Amino acid sequence: MSRQTLQDSAHATDASWVVRPSPPSTPLYSPLPANNIGGDSPMDIAVSDESNTTAQGSVSLGDILDGQVERLGPDSQNGVGEDTDAEASASGSDSENGRGKNKSAPVGYCVECEDQPASVFCEQCADNYCEVCFHSQHRKGNRKRHSTKSLQSTTPQKKAKRSNGKAEAEPAVTANGENQEDEELSDDFKLMGEQPTAKAPVGDWFLERAKFIPLRLTLDERKYLRLLEAALSVSEYTDRIDILSYGSKSKRIVSQIKELCAILSGLVLAADYKVGQELFQDRDFGSNAEFFQEIFELGRRHKIMNPEKMRTTYGKLVYLLQDSQIPEVKDMLEFTCVKPIKTVYTVLSELNGLRVLEDDLIAIATQEILSEGKSRHQVQSEIKMKERAIEQLARKYGSSELKPDLIRQCLYSIGDNHAFLRVNRDPCDKMISYLQKYFDAEKEEQGFSLAIRSGRGGARLSHDHGKQYHYVLQSLTLWREIMHDMFMLWSLAEQDLLSDENGYRLRDTGQGLNRVQAAPRVSRMMHTILHRAQKRVGYWVGSSVIHLGDHNVPNALMFIDKYTQVYRILLPICNCLGQLEDLVKNPGIKGYIDGQFGGTERLRKEILADFFRHAFDGSGADNFFDAGSCIDGRLTSAWNWCSTLEKKRYFPVFLLSGFMGFDGQW
């Protein structure tokens, strides 16, 4: 059936009946394993609805269009009772989870998502919502004027399901109809505010933040890390597994995992004969499960702390661990390769040392000392103050159980997190300050307009100056919020990737064969971060669709890889703009800049105007369906601008500032 036929059929429907098809377990024309997170193709939705209605065996779409059916109720096997026509028309087909509004949400929980505590009551809708769902449902139109009442922050003890009129404690239901007890976001996963200053009370900021800060590797662990990287670099795991072939894939997976473990054991034997001899004593991988778990865990921990490292080997490691979680493979291996990441919080909690994270002195002990705008004496004074704070905390909370050296290691790990934020988050803040300083949303300056028009300069969006200003501001703000909570997102991404209940499918996404896998935890947190960014800017332009688990962003690993590139885009631009004053100290360079651009200020505004126009114009995709203003499309446009930098007339200025490429070391 063609797209036009489906659209004509939809317009020809009569108000006397309502189609409420149940969500398909595997939609037609969709590469997704279960729930189409981020998928927004109307063709897929329309065809899926038709196929489900037909599959029920009682009625077909042709019967409905011929007027042979007056009313069709929802599928009874999903446990959803009959709706009245008015209720069905008001609620429509429920979005992703197959839940209709006729099924009451658990008491105290959001009526929309049903897995988060309700925080506001909409007086016009007469429903309770969590903050994220309320703002997504009431962002525009008449609903934007709905009045609300704040609910008391009473968290229900457990969710309940309706069964024969009685409430039973049961896990929530995922988009594919499966239990989701471990897939919902617990209270441990909540967004944290800004870092307390050195002299301010820390409260529970460090306590919450430390749950997602990996522990810095020790010297002995770094030795094993080098062995792991060496073994992964010679492994051909993904080349052998991620292919379309006949035969048992599980046997190939087990064979490749054992081969990697054998290579790793040989390298350990060569590096440390005593430890290697213990590995070969039983010649059994299962008896050495703890050793391999620790080796793989420290590789994951090192990558989170250093996103620029292990760029070719981390993907192999995660996919290997992902396959090792398949129940059939796990039974054949007779051991599991996955263990939780060792974080600052888990280490201190096991040794009863969480009081360290609540001491106000920790803000000084973990602060990052920068030299910009400070004298040598001031920098030395701050370094000594930090060292004294570290030693004071180590002496105060150190014991025979919690060694002072381990406290220092935890404090240094938190300091590493601050360094990560400075490199990855601060460029977003810098670009936002440039935007607000040199441009005005209400006033369009001649020669530095941010307006774009579809079809001109590769743009696929049409915005006037003011609209583009807000579009850029909200995109940079969203990137900033993502970078601020990247460690939390990375933790959730690994949980989605390594879950033994969350399978994947090998599909051709247009960029080769990729593992397409749903990411419910990351998706939920991303919607929360998006809501926070929307509240921060107050005015949202474009689509708010988050692609996860589709052909654009196949899985959580691709999501992490996508957003760890933000600093690679913004940092070289910030460095170039920040060095213009130093460059013009050279008379020759000053004459070149004055003659070609009219001075450093006009040069800076030209670079910024070009970046704000064409790095956020919806370009970069190979078709008009994947390009645009969605959350991920904004980053695609920015990468496309980077590929055209050498054609810009100000490119020599980048070279003079030390620019080596957006993949270089800055």
Side-chain angles (χ1 to χ4, degrees):
M1 182 178 289
S2 67
R3 184 189 298 267
Q4 185 61 40
T5 305
L6 291 172
Q7 293 175 348
D8 293 342
S9 300
H11 289 302
T13 56
D14 188 81
S16 60
W17 52 265
V18 177
V19 179
R20 291 290 306 277
S22 61
S25 58
T26 306
L28 294 178
Y29 306 114
S30 175
L32 305 184
N35 50 344
N36 187 7
I37 299 178
D40 49 11
S41 172
M43 184 63 180
D44 291 349
I45 297 172
V47 176
S48 300
D49 289 352
E50 179 186 357
S51 63
N52 274 277
T53 308
T54 307
Q56 295 174 4
S58 59
V59 68
S60 67
L61 183 59
D63 296 334
I64 296 174
L65 298 178
D66 293 339
Q68 299 178 11
V69 178
E70 293 183 356
R71 183 179 181 275
L72 178 64
D75 192 357
S76 59
Q77 67 184 6
N78 286 337
V80 183
E82 289 188 350
D83 284 299
T84 64
D85 293 342
E87 290 173 338
S89 301
S91 61
S93 173
D94 201 52
S95 57
E96 291 181 15
N97 297 326
R99 300 185 294 260
K101 287 209 176 180
N102 55 317
K103 179 181 177 180
S104 301
V107 177
Y109 278 84
C110 172
V111 71
E112 186 68 25
C113 63
E114 299 186 11
D115 61 5
Q116 295 295 309
S119 59
V120 294
F121 172 76
C122 179
E123 296 180 337
Q124 283 72 26
C125 300
D127 282 326
N128 296 332
Y129 292 93
C130 67
E131 192 174 6
V132 175
C133 290
F134 175 80
H135 283 277
S136 78
Q137 294 291 327
H138 297 74
R139 192 162 59 88
K140 57 177 65 175
N142 292 331
R143 285 193 171 194
K144 189 175 182 179
R145 295 188 288 270
H146 284 191
S147 56
T148 62
K149 289 183 179 179
S150 178
L151 301 176
Q152 294 181 354
S153 58
T154 55
T155 304
Q157 294 181 354
K158 271 198 173 184
K159 295 188 294 294
K161 78 164 185 176
R162 297 291 175 183
S163 176
N164 299 325
K166 296 181 180 181
E168 295 179 26
E170 186 185 79
V173 179
T174 62
N176 56 5
E178 297 176 354
N179 288 344
Q180 170 179 312
E181 186 172 20
D182 62 336
E183 291 189 358
E184 66 181 57
L185 296 176
S186 65
D187 291 337
D188 292 339
F189 298 97
K190 57 183 180 182
L191 298 176
M192 296 301 298
E194 298 303 317
Q195 176 185 349
T197 58
K199 297 182 180 180
V202 297
D204 61 349
W205 192 90
F206 285 94
L207 194 66
E208 295 296 332
R209 191 86 182 175
K211 295 178 181 179
F212 311 102
I213 299 179
L215 191 67
R216 178 190 280 193
L217 270 62
T218 62
L219 188 61
D220 290 337
E221 288 176 332
R222 293 180 186 276
K223 178 178 67 175
Y224 290 113
L225 173 68
R226 289 193 292 270
L227 299 181
L228 174 64
E229 288 191 83
L232 290 171
S233 63
V234 300
S235 173
E236 298 179 346
Y237 183 82
T238 49
D239 296 334
R240 302 286 183 85
I241 301 301
D242 289 348
I243 56 175
L244 300 177
S245 65
Y246 296 98
S248 174
K249 184 176 181 179
S250 299
K251 291 182 178 179
R252 283 189 288 122
I253 291 173
V254 172
S255 174
Q256 289 298 313
I257 293 177
K258 288 186 175 181
E259 179 181 320
L260 179 66
C261 291
I263 295 173
L264 194 56
S265 301
L267 292 174
V268 171
L269 178 65
D272 191 330
Y273 182 76
K274 184 177 180 180
V275 176
Q277 196 175 30
E278 295 176 357
L279 293 177
F280 283 96
Q281 187 173 5
D282 298 328
R283 295 183 178 275
D284 180 21
F285 292 110
S287 59
N288 300 318
E290 185 177 354
F291 171 79
F292 291 118
Q293 288 174 2
E294 291 178 356
I295 291 290
F296 294 142
E297 183 272 337
L298 64 89
R300 294 157 54 203
R301 182 158 32 113
H302 177 70
K303 175 63 177 179
I304 297 175
M305 296 292 288
N306 305 274
E308 73 280 1
K309 305 293 185 181
M310 299 180 66
R311 297 185 63 185
T312 59
T313 54
Y314 179 70
K316 291 182 188 178
L317 174 61
V318 169
Y319 282 167
L320 180 147
L321 297 177
Q322 185 183 41
D323 289 335
S324 72
Q325 291 295 94
I326 299 175
E328 183 181 357
V329 173
K330 195 183 297 184
D331 293 340
M332 296 173 69
L333 280 176
E334 298 180 349
F335 74 96
T336 177
C337 300
V338 179
K339 66 176 294 187
I341 290 288
K342 188 184 296 184
T343 65
V344 173
Y345 183 89
T346 56
V347 170
L348 292 177
S349 63
E350 290 172 359
L351 302 175
N352 300 318
L354 291 179
R355 292 178 300 166
V356 177
L357 301 174
E358 298 174 338
D359 195 305
D360 291 343
L361 202 58
I362 193 175
I364 301 175
T366 59
Q367 67 178 339
E368 190 176 17
I369 299 173
L370 305 177
S371 60
E372 288 82 359
K374 300 177 183 178
S375 64
R376 181 186 294 270
H377 174 74
Q378 186 177 359
V379 171
Q380 292 295 332
S381 176
E382 291 181 358
I383 292 175
K384 291 180 181 179
M385 186 185 301
K386 179 178 179 179
E387 291 175 348
R388 284 197 300 267
I390 293 174
E391 293 304 321
Q392 186 174 343
L393 288 172
R395 288 194 304 267
K396 183 177 180 180
Y397 298 101
S399 63
S400 58
E401 186 179 10
L402 180 59
K403 302 296 183 182
D405 285 343
L406 184 57
I407 295 178
R408 296 187 188 96
Q409 185 182 3
C410 292
L411 295 176
Y412 290 140
S413 301
I414 298 175
D416 293 341
N417 174 248
H418 297 339
F420 171 88
L421 293 177
R422 178 177 62 85
V423 174
N424 291 267
R425 183 195 63 188
D426 289 4
C428 298
D429 290 330
K430 190 68 174 177
M431 294 302 291
I432 291 174
S433 66
Y434 279 138
L435 176 66
Q436 295 173 338
K437 178 181 179 180
Y438 291 103
F439 301 92
D440 187 352
E442 306 298 330
K443 183 179 179 182
E444 182 176 349
E445 185 178 351
Q446 183 67 26
F448 299 104
S449 172
L450 301 183
I452 58 175
R453 185 171 181 178
S454 179
R456 291 186 179 179
R460 290 183 174 175
L461 300 174
S462 295
H463 292 161
D464 58 27
H465 173 81
K467 196 171 186 179
Q468 181 69 4
Y469 175 93
H470 288 289
Y471 181 71
V472 174
L473 177 61
Q474 68 190 24
S475 300
L476 292 172
T477 302
L478 178 62
W479 294 352
R480 192 253 181 217
E481 298 299 327
I482 292 174
M483 291 297 104
H484 182 72
D485 291 298
M486 176 53 75
F487 279 17
M488 182 191 298
L489 286 168
W490 207 313
S491 175
L492 295 173
E494 287 207 343
Q495 291 182 38
D496 283 331
L497 285 164
L498 305 181
S499 172
D500 54 2
E501 297 180 356
N502 187 18
Y504 70 87
R505 293 185 177 184
L506 198 62
R507 291 290 182 267
D508 184 0
T509 61
Q511 301 179 17
L513 291 175
N514 282 281
R515 300 187 178 197
V516 180
Q517 180 190 41
R521 298 175 180 86
V522 176
S523 177
R524 177 67 190 175
M525 183 54 64
M526 272 298 297
H527 280 89
T528 304
I529 293 175
L530 175 61
H531 165 63
R532 185 172 68 179
Q534 289 173 337
K535 285 184 62 179
R536 192 164 187 169
V537 297
Y539 174 62
W540 196 256
V541 179
S543 171
S544 57
V545 172
I546 299 173
H547 290 284
L548 267 173
D550 60 4
H551 70 282
N552 290 302
V553 185
N555 52 53
L557 175 63
M558 298 298 180
F559 168 84
I560 291 296
D561 182 67
K562 193 178 184 76
Y563 282 98
T564 51
Q565 310 303 318
V566 169
Y567 88 97
R568 295 182 180 274
I569 299 173
L570 301 183
L571 192 56
I573 303 173
C574 293
N575 286 339
C576 176
L577 297 176
Q579 294 181 31
L580 291 182
E581 280 73 15
D582 294 332
L583 289 177
V584 296
K585 293 178 181 178
N586 184 305
I589 298 178
K590 184 178 186 304
Y592 164 72
I593 292 178
D594 291 343
Q596 290 291 325
F597 305 100
T600 56
E601 286 300 299
R602 291 189 64 84
L603 171 60
R604 184 179 285 111
K605 292 181 70 172
E606 180 175 336
I607 295 173
L608 289 171
D610 185 70
F611 176 73
F612 293 149
R613 277 196 304 265
H614 297 295
F616 301 90
D617 60 1
S619 61
D622 57 357
N623 59 73
F624 280 91
F625 296 101
D626 294 335
S629 61
C630 64
I631 301 305
D632 305 282
R634 302 163 192 244
L635 196 54
T636 304
S637 303
W639 264 125
N640 185 63
W641 178 88
C642 295
S643 66
T644 63
L645 179 63
E646 65 274 8
K647 301 176 183 178
K648 310 293 184 180
R649 77 186 194 105
Y650 50 77
F651 179 62
V653 180
F654 272 77
L655 297 178
L656 289 171
S657 66
F659 175 77
M660 296 181 295
F662 289 99
D663 202 23
Q665 298 295 324
W666 285 86

